[in-house]
Amino acid sequence: MRLQLLRKSRGNTDVATLACIHTLARRLHGRGQLDEAEDLYMEAVEANSKKLGDDHQHTLRSCTNLAGCMHAKGNLPMAEQFYRHVFKVRTKALGKHPDTAKSMANLASVLSDMSQLEEAEDLARRALKMRQETLGHAHQDTFASINNVGVLLFTQGKLAEAQDLLQKALKSVRDTLGSTHPRSLDCMSNLAAVLKQQGQTSAAEALYREALPACREKLGEEHEATIATMNNLANLLGNKGSAKEKQEAEQLFNRALAINRATLGDTHPHTLSTLNNMASMYTQSGEFQKAEPLAREAVKGQRATLGDMSLSTLCSIHNLACILDGQGKTQEAQKLMREALIGYSKKLGENHPRTRNVAEKLQRLGSGPMQSGSMRAGIMGQARVDSPDLSELMGRQVGFGEPMMDPRILQAMMGGQLAGFSPFGDEAGMDPRIMQAMMAQGGLGFSDRDEEASRERSRIMSHIFNPNF
């Protein structure tokens, strides 16, 4: 209502109108209404650019927020373009400056999600160094950058190096800010994720159990970090296998889901992430009938909220296909797996590990006598960890609002028959194995929504993009 009045009385490009547009876009973004938020961010970018110029700080702020929204929707190439523009302008105008470091961290984030990990790590390390030099070693943003580097090391499977960095970071943050500061809680959860991947589940569980009551006390039961920690602990417990631990995991998931439904709504990305996590827990234990309705709700909500071509949607579609295959519902599983393959091919390229993984599964589905449940053996766990909505990295800090791929996924995707997968040049077109998998299941006749028109999407735990200013 206020925005409408300002538009009418002062015009669409007035300073007060643009400030109101920005505020409303932030609120919509926080609620997961990403299409509406993107429209407003785009309007702000265009108005500020026309009125103030492409390089003005207000234009750059709007560009950053627009990029963050596109990043959250999975439109990574466009997010990269906007992040690069802001980084280039701030580097030239400001040089060694905290705002330049923020832009560097944001660009590192989207590059990581595009699997351009070497450049992402380089940028994250440069951002850390710049923050150390401009803000000092004990500043919150410096600690955030340490976390960012640790996340990237984790993503690349450099677990020992990540563990060493995050352990030192946790000690420094605790000594400087205290054990219950949000940065300490971020670092605690990230370290727990690394420890878990190295099989140190007891140490990881201890950190999660330390972090959860601290989050509740410091941030509140309904804060995204509290919910993320609930999810992470529930994921760990659900993997351990005992009836008692699974019961606790279910209680944590149900509590997180109830809070998300009540505070964010049924179709918010965080709600959908929790649904996906619960479905994956049941998939892990072979309880496909319990997993299916949760996975279907997640896919339906993500299609409506994020679009068919969002990476989060594609991952959920893939996971649902695995669940259906586990029940012998091969025809629908094939259809969904084919949709996931086409989506990944468009979004990530034919040679991306995730695309290859889905192509291999689709070939297995159509391989003959073992169709029904053919993916079940050896893929039970993969259905759980394939979605980026299952990440255990906190990353509320600037620059890592989007999920990181678990190194186990990378190893699983690159293993076995896929290890010899050879890249082809542009002229060669689509990789023959992917083409074969698609054609074997009925060809390429999928009617995807136009990529620009659908304008796509967390954090994994899906959580959370914090716009820079």
Side-chain angles (χ1 to χ4, degrees), residues 346-361:
K346 288 182 177 180
K347 297 292 291 185
L348 301 175
E350 290 81 22
N351 291 311
H352 191 281
R354 208 180 301 183
T355 310
R356 300 179 198 175
N357 181 47
V358 176
E360 176 71 14
K361 290 181 181 179

Side-chain angles (χ1 to χ4, degrees), residues 24 96 163 177 211 214 255 271 285 288 296 371 374 377 421 437 448 459:
L24 178 57
K96 190 182 296 183
Q163 179 180 340
L177 302 175
R255 178 60 180 153
T271 306
S285 60
F288 299 111
R296 285 192 183 279
Q371 281 185 355
S374 61
F421 223 85
D448 294 318
R459 181 205 192 17

Side-chain angles (χ1 to χ4, degrees), residues 206-269:
L207 283 172
Y208 284 139
R209 290 195 182 279
E210 180 183 355
L212 183 54
C215 285
R216 283 172 168 153
E217 180 180 352
K218 189 75 175 181
L219 304 172
E221 179 83 353
E222 297 179 356
H223 193 276
E224 71 266 10
T226 308
I227 304 303
T229 307
M230 284 185 195
N231 272 286
N232 290 339
L233 178 57
N235 280 330
L236 186 148
L237 294 173
N239 270 327
K240 292 182 75 174
S242 76
K244 181 179 179 181
E245 287 163 333
K246 184 181 175 186
Q247 183 179 22
E248 185 180 0
E250 287 179 314
Q251 291 172 349
L252 287 167
F253 276 139
N254 283 323
R255 178 60 180 153
L257 181 60
I259 292 172
N260 281 337
R261 287 192 191 278
T263 59
L264 302 174
D266 292 340
T267 59
H268 191 280

Side-chain angles (χ1 to χ4, degrees), residues 24-328:
L24 178 57
R26 289 274 315 269
R27 289 176 181 171
L28 291 169
H29 192 157
R31 294 172 190 161
Q33 297 171 254
L34 300 177
D35 281 342
E36 296 93 330
E38 183 180 336
D39 288 340
L40 290 172
Y41 284 142
M42 182 65 79
E43 181 181 355
V45 168
E46 292 174 350
N48 281 319
S49 178
K50 185 176 181 179
K51 186 173 184 178
L52 304 171
D54 291 343
D55 298 349
H56 193 277
Q57 61 177 340
H58 290 174
T59 308
L60 297 177
R61 181 185 67 173
S62 298
C63 283
T64 299
N65 290 327
L66 175 60
C69 190
M70 290 175 168
H71 192 168
K73 293 175 68 179
N75 192 345
L76 304 185
M78 287 302 298
E80 180 194 359
Q81 287 186 34
F82 280 102
Y83 280 144
R84 281 197 187 278
H85 169 71
V86 175
F87 173 49
K88 181 179 179 180
V89 172
R90 284 180 172 167
T91 299
K92 183 178 179 179
L94 303 174
K96 190 182 296 183
H97 188 277
D99 285 349
T100 307
K102 286 183 180 180
S103 300
M104 208 178 292
N106 282 333
L107 179 56
S109 169
V110 74
L111 290 174
S112 176
D113 293 339
M114 297 172 77
S115 297
Q116 299 178 32
L117 299 178
E118 290 186 9
E119 185 181 359
E121 183 180 344
D122 176 65
L123 286 166
R125 289 188 182 277
R126 287 167 58 192
L128 171 58
K129 183 179 179 181
M130 190 176 293
R131 282 171 167 168
Q132 288 172 333
E133 292 175 352
T134 59
L135 300 172
H137 288 262
H139 193 277
Q140 290 188 41
D141 287 352
T142 303
F143 292 136
S145 270
I146 294 173
N147 253 331
N148 289 352
V149 175
V151 165
L152 269 164
L153 293 170
F154 177 99
T155 304
Q156 297 175 81
K158 302 175 183 178
L159 300 182
E161 192 177 350
Q163 179 180 340
D164 182 62
L165 181 66
L166 291 171
Q167 282 176 331
K168 291 177 181 177
L170 179 56
K171 184 180 186 304
S172 297
V173 176
R174 279 175 161 166
D175 291 345
T176 306
L177 302 175
S179 295
T180 61
H181 190 278
R183 291 294 182 211
S184 296
L185 300 175
D186 285 348
C187 195
M188 201 179 298
S189 289
N190 285 344
L191 177 57
V194 173
L195 292 171
K196 180 184 173 185
Q197 297 314 309
Q198 297 190 92
Q200 301 179 47
T201 54
S202 296
E205 182 178 345
L207 283 172
Y208 284 139
R209 290 195 182 279
E210 180 183 355
L212 183 54
C215 285
R216 283 172 168 153
E217 180 180 352
K218 189 75 175 181
L219 304 172
E221 179 83 353
E222 297 179 356
H223 193 276
E224 71 266 10
T226 308
I227 304 303
T229 307
M230 284 185 195
N231 272 286
N232 290 339
L233 178 57
N235 280 330
L236 186 148
L237 294 173
N239 270 327
K240 292 182 75 174
S242 76
K244 181 179 179 181
E245 287 163 333
K246 184 181 175 186
Q247 183 179 22
E248 185 180 0
E250 287 179 314
Q251 291 172 349
L252 287 167
F253 276 139
N254 283 323
R255 178 60 180 153
L257 181 60
I259 292 172
N260 281 337
R261 287 192 191 278
T263 59
L264 302 174
D266 292 340
T267 59
H268 191 280
H270 297 181
T271 306
L272 301 174
S273 293
T274 304
L275 285 167
N276 224 351
N277 291 340
M278 293 180 70
S280 297
M281 177 184 68
Y282 290 127
T283 302
Q284 184 80 1
S285 60
E287 298 177 84
F288 299 111
Q289 290 184 340
K290 287 185 178 181
E292 182 181 344
L294 298 169
R296 285 192 183 279
E297 183 179 353
V299 170
K300 182 180 179 181
Q302 286 170 333
R303 286 190 192 277
T305 305
L306 308 177
D308 294 338
M309 290 291 291
S310 160
L311 287 175
S312 293
T313 306
L314 293 171
C315 286
S316 296
I317 289 170
H318 164 244
N319 288 344
L320 177 57
C322 292
I323 291 167
L324 293 171
D325 178 69
Q327 299 177 84

